[in-house]
Each structure stands twice: as structure tokens, then as C-alpha cells.
Amino acid sequence: MPDQIKIAIAGFGSVASTLIKGLQFYKNSTEGLWHPKLAGFGITDVVVTGIYDIDPSKVGKKISSIVSDYKVDSDLIIQPGISEDVVPHNFAQMGGAKTASYEDVVSSLKKTNPDFLINLISSGMDKSGEKYAKAALDAGCSFFNATSSKIVTEQMRSAFTSKGLMILGDDLMSQFGGTAFHRGMMEFITHRGIKIEKAYQLDVGGNKDTQNTMAEELREKKRKIKTDSISVEVPYPFRSTAGTTEYAEQLGNSRVSYYWMEAKGFLGSTIEMDLSLKTNDSTNGCNVILDSIRAAKISISKKYLSKSEIISAYAFKNPLKKAKIRESIKAFEDAFSN
């Protein structure tokens, strides 16, 4: 078995920064890891070979200088990335986005030869995400789409499979974020014989990705993805709404999810639930990313490319083939846990 999993990252925001910190921290600890060993790999087997971004305040700098709140042993320099969408207005005040041509990114990927390109760019940058996927395909590496952009199609999956690669996505589902918790609650309630009649989940966050989600078209798209993901857990129709409703800068990288549900029990008795959950967006996603790439690495090496369905159902809100949350975790752990 190969002894390393090499990854490149597109988009050096809070999740990428936290992932880098985690790879450093878990050289000497397993505290907080969901699966310390998975598919024969530990966390120390994961190595970052390249990072791409278009933010002029980051491009050309060492990641060790940007991750200022944690000591990172790396000399990696952030390279200019792909930009096919409208860039943030504040970039203009810093001389404009720092971008590279598609060909340059493909050439860079070929040179560093990662196993996976992980797409962590901002929500709403659909065209850029699609270009990164094609760049991964042309460079000969697998692709992981953490964003809500609809990139994984049957056609794209066939294109990657024909080269012995995987494409995984779409829209990362955090380990214990709003959607995962909501789905878990719904699954438990229905299995206890209670009939859900109506429910909502409203999210408020303070990071850049939440701010971008406030664009009406993107907010509606993400609302539909979350609502559809949650409805998988309930075998009958019910009135449901789930999505991000507000950006609150003072929350920083935290997210607060508000849940309300009304259901009926014996003799039509009313059961009502009203609660909130506060989590950290960036830390909440890293276990799932690290689990997925380790599972994908062993599957690719053994040419079990169809296992991308198991991995995507486990890790994403909007995979091609959806499964109930408890079933997806069991299928994943049965296939890959040591």
C-alpha cells in the first residue's frame, strides 16, 4: 500500500487553514479524531503538496505566515488559482485577484502530482469549481467538491472513472453540523413511531462563506439542498424548510442552527421541539474530509471505483445517490474501518 496520501487544496479559507493545523496537531495526538485509523491510513499519512487561491493578501505567501495563530512546519507557498466568476469587490482595493491560467494550474498539479484536489473555494463560484474539476481530470488526480456547486454528474463521474480516478461530492456535510444533526433527529423520531408534520432549521453564521450565501439565488439553492437532504430520513411528505437565513459577523467562524418541529403521537397528542445548536464550521468539516480521502485512496488503489457512492453518501449533502444518515455511516464503516 502507498504510504502517503498527497492532497492539493483550492481555496485557502478557514476550513483549509483548520485542516493544515489539524495535520500538524495530529502528528502527536488522536484526541478529537472520529476515525484515527481508516482504510489502513492514519492522519500522518496525509501530506499537502499545493494550495491555490486568488486572494491578493494570500497568494505568494507561505502558509506558515498566514496561519498566524498556530505553528505550522511547512514552507508551502500559496499559488494563484483559477477564477471564472465575479471576484469580491474588496480585491480591487488590493490590486485585483491574483489568478493563473487554466493551463498553468494543470501544469502545477502535474508537477506536484497529488492524489486529490480538494475544492474549498467560496460558495457561489460555480464556474471556477467546474474548472478546477476539469483541471484535476486533465492532471490525473481525483477531485473532492466540498462546495454546494453541482459538479458531480454521471458524465463527470464516468470521465474520472475512465482514468481510474474518483470524483466525490457535492456539498460537504459536517460531522455534527446543522444538517447532520437535523437528519439524525428526524431519523430517530420516525423510528420511535412519531409522525412529523412540520419542521424548520434556520442557520445564522459569521464566516465569509455564510456572507456569500446571502445572495438570493445561492441562498435558495442551498436551502433546497439542505431540505432535500433532510427529507431522505422521513418516509412520507411533511412541511419542511432548512437553510441559512442570516449573516452575523460577530459569530466569526461559528454557526448557530435553530430547530423547530411539530409531530403527533398516540391519540394525536402534540410533540413540539424547539432548540438551538452552536458549532464551529471549519473544525466540523475536517474529520469528514480526512475520512473520505483515506477511504477513496484505498478504493482507487484496489480499483474499487464504485465505492465512490458509499463515500459520497457518507460525506455530502447532495451526492448522486442519497442514503439515510445512519445507513450511510454503517456502510462507510463496514467498508473502511480497521
Side-chain angles (χ1 to χ4, degrees):
M1 179 192 299
D3 60 359
Q4 282 191 332
I5 304 172
K6 296 188 292 183
I7 63 172
I9 300 171
F12 196 71
S14 58
V15 177
S17 176
T18 302
L19 188 60
I20 294 292
K21 294 177 191 176
L23 293 177
Q24 183 75 39
F25 178 82
Y26 287 114
K27 290 178 179 179
N28 302 299
S29 176
T30 58
E31 182 182 353
L33 285 179
W34 190 355
H35 301 103
K37 197 84 171 176
L38 191 82
F41 293 103
I43 301 302
T44 55
D45 296 318
V46 179
V47 179
V48 182
T49 63
I51 299 176
Y52 304 88
D53 205 297
I54 62 171
D55 187 335
S57 68
K58 298 175 183 177
V59 174
K61 294 184 179 179
K62 291 182 180 180
I63 60 172
S64 55
S65 68
I66 296 175
V67 184
S68 57
D69 60 340
Y70 202 89
K71 182 174 173 54
V72 176
D73 297 331
S74 174
D75 289 326
L76 270 180
I77 294 174
I78 297 177
Q79 302 176 59
I82 293 171
S83 178
E84 295 285 325
D85 300 276
V86 176
V87 300
H89 295 299
N90 64 309
F91 284 8
Q93 300 170 356
M94 296 183 281
K98 300 293 185 183
T99 64
S101 70
Y102 174 82
E103 291 76 18
D104 284 345
V105 171
V106 171
S107 177
S108 173
L109 288 170
K110 285 181 176 179
K111 183 178 179 181
T112 57
N113 192 32
D115 295 294
F116 300 93
L117 174 59
I118 300 176
N119 184 30
L120 294 173
I121 63 176
S122 297
S123 292
M125 300 186 73
D126 296 353
K127 293 178 182 178
S128 301
E130 289 171 5
K131 276 287 190 180
Y132 272 120
K134 291 177 181 177
L137 183 62
D138 284 344
C141 64
S142 295
F143 189 73
F144 181 106
N145 179 38
T147 77
S148 60
S149 299
K150 189 57 191 170
I151 294 175
V152 182
T153 62
E154 289 289 359
Q155 183 179 2
M156 283 293 282
R157 186 168 69 173
S158 295
F160 274 81
T161 300
S162 69
K163 290 190 172 186
L165 303 170
M166 274 190 186
I167 182 167
L168 303 169
D170 296 301
D171 203 353
L172 182 68
M173 182 168 63
S174 295
Q175 179 183 359
F176 201 76
T179 300
F181 180 63
H182 198 163
R183 288 180 63 174
M185 282 194 300
M186 292 299 180
E187 191 267 351
F188 182 71
I189 290 165
T190 55
H191 273 73
R192 296 296 293 175
I194 306 300
K195 189 175 190 303
I196 300 167
E197 297 203 323
K198 42 192 172 179
Y200 66 68
Q201 173 196 332
L202 308 178
D203 295 340
V204 180
N207 62 19
K208 189 68 178 177
D209 199 61
T210 301
Q211 187 178 32
N212 293 340
T213 303
M214 290 299 97
E216 192 60 34
E217 183 179 348
L218 179 57
R219 179 161 52 175
E220 286 304 312
K221 182 174 75 171
K222 294 197 75 166
R223 179 176 293 174
K224 185 178 188 309
I225 290 171
K226 285 189 177 186
T227 302
D228 290 349
S229 178
I230 291 158
S231 67
V232 171
E233 306 298 332
V234 184
Y236 49 81
F238 67 102
R239 292 175 62 189
S240 176
T241 301
T244 301
T245 57
E246 194 54 75
Y247 165 71
E249 184 180 6
Q250 58 269 38
L251 282 175
N253 200 39
S254 295
R255 177 179 300 271
V256 181
S257 299
Y258 299 94
Y259 305 88
W260 177 85
M261 178 271 294
E262 185 178 286
K264 298 294 183 184
F266 190 71
L267 286 180
S269 59
T270 299
I271 297 171
E272 190 170 343
M273 181 186 69
D274 193 351
L275 58 86
S276 65
L277 171 71
K278 186 176 181 180
T279 57
N280 181 285
D281 270 359
S282 58
T283 53
N284 221 336
C286 289
N287 262 318
V288 181
I289 293 172
L290 292 169
D291 283 358
S292 301
I293 60 174
R294 287 182 289 169
K297 174 70 173 181
I298 194 67
S299 300
I300 293 166
S301 68
K302 292 186 175 182
K303 303 189 186 306
Y304 296 153
L305 299 179
S306 63
K307 288 193 175 181
S308 63
E309 288 188 352
I310 295 174
I311 301 168
S312 287
Y314 166 80
F316 299 95
K317 300 185 190 84
N318 194 26
L320 285 177
K321 186 177 180 180
K322 295 181 174 68
K324 292 184 177 180
I325 193 164
R326 194 186 299 265
E327 293 171 0
S328 67
I329 294 171
K330 185 178 187 305
F332 182 87
E333 291 184 336
D334 285 350
F336 304 111
S337 284
N338 301 103

